[in-house]
Amino acid sequence: MRRLENSPPLRSREQLETWVQEFEDQEHCIAGRITVAPQEDSGDQDTGLVIVRLRNATASIFMGARGYDDPMWQLTITESPEELKLSATDLTSLAAELVVAGNLCTFLQWKSLEWDRKSGQRNAAAPSSAGASSH
C-alpha cells in the first residue's frame, strides 16, 4: 500500500497511551480496563489500537479513526459469545461503561483533530470547499 501524501500522521501507540492516560487522569469512573494494543500498519509503524474491556459484559470495544485520512473516530463492539442476561443494576452499570467508552472515543477524536491542527497536517490534507467555515 502506498503512503498518501499530505495525510495526517497515524497515531503511534505511545501517543495513544499518553492520551488514554490523560483521559484516565481526569478521574472518569472507569469500571473496565482501557488498553492500547500494538497494531502495525503496512509501513511497519506501531499505530496502536485503543481497547475498552468491559467489566459488565464479555464484549470489548475497539476504537480508532474510521480511515487513514478520516479525522472522525468510531467504536466497534465485539460480539458476545453468549446471550447476555443482566439485572437492572447490571444493565445500568453496563450503560455507564458504554457512556465512558463514548466519552473516551470523543476525547481521542478531539485530541487527534487538535494534534492535526497544531501540526498543520489537517489543513494540508483537507480539500477546500466553498462555503465551509472553520471553528
Side-chain angles (χ1 to χ4, degrees), residues 2-133:
R2 110 188 143 107
R3 192 165 194 119
L4 300 173
E5 289 186 28
N6 296 325
S7 295
L10 294 171
R11 308 295 171 233
S12 70
R13 181 177 179 199
E14 181 180 355
Q15 187 174 42
L16 291 173
E17 286 173 338
T18 299
W19 291 347
V20 166
Q21 185 62 54
E22 184 179 337
F23 180 82
E24 290 176 331
D25 289 347
Q26 293 175 0
E27 299 183 14
H28 293 273
C29 184
I30 302 165
R33 193 176 78 222
I34 303 170
T35 58
V36 180
Q39 181 180 0
E40 290 187 6
D41 74 346
S42 60
D44 295 329
Q45 290 183 309
D46 181 8
T47 58
L49 178 66
V50 179
I51 304 170
V52 176
R53 300 190 194 296
L54 300 173
R55 181 176 177 194
N56 294 288
T58 56
S60 293
I61 299 174
F62 299 89
M63 58 187 73
R66 289 189 300 201
Y68 183 73
D69 190 26
D70 192 335
M72 304 306 287
W73 282 53
Q74 68 183 6
L75 302 167
T76 302
I77 301 174
T78 62
E79 186 176 342
S80 181
E82 64 221 18
E83 197 172 277
L84 186 59
K85 295 180 182 182
L86 301 169
S87 68
T89 304
D90 291 339
L91 180 60
T92 302
S93 297
L94 177 58
E97 285 188 278
L98 295 175
V99 167
V100 170
N103 290 343
L104 173 59
C105 190
T106 300
F107 177 82
L108 294 171
Q109 179 175 296
W110 180 83
K111 293 297 281 187
S112 292
L113 289 168
E114 178 185 48
W115 194 89
D116 289 346
R117 181 183 56 79
K118 286 181 179 177
S119 71
Q121 292 297 313
R122 176 52 45 197
N123 287 338
S128 63
S129 59
S133 63

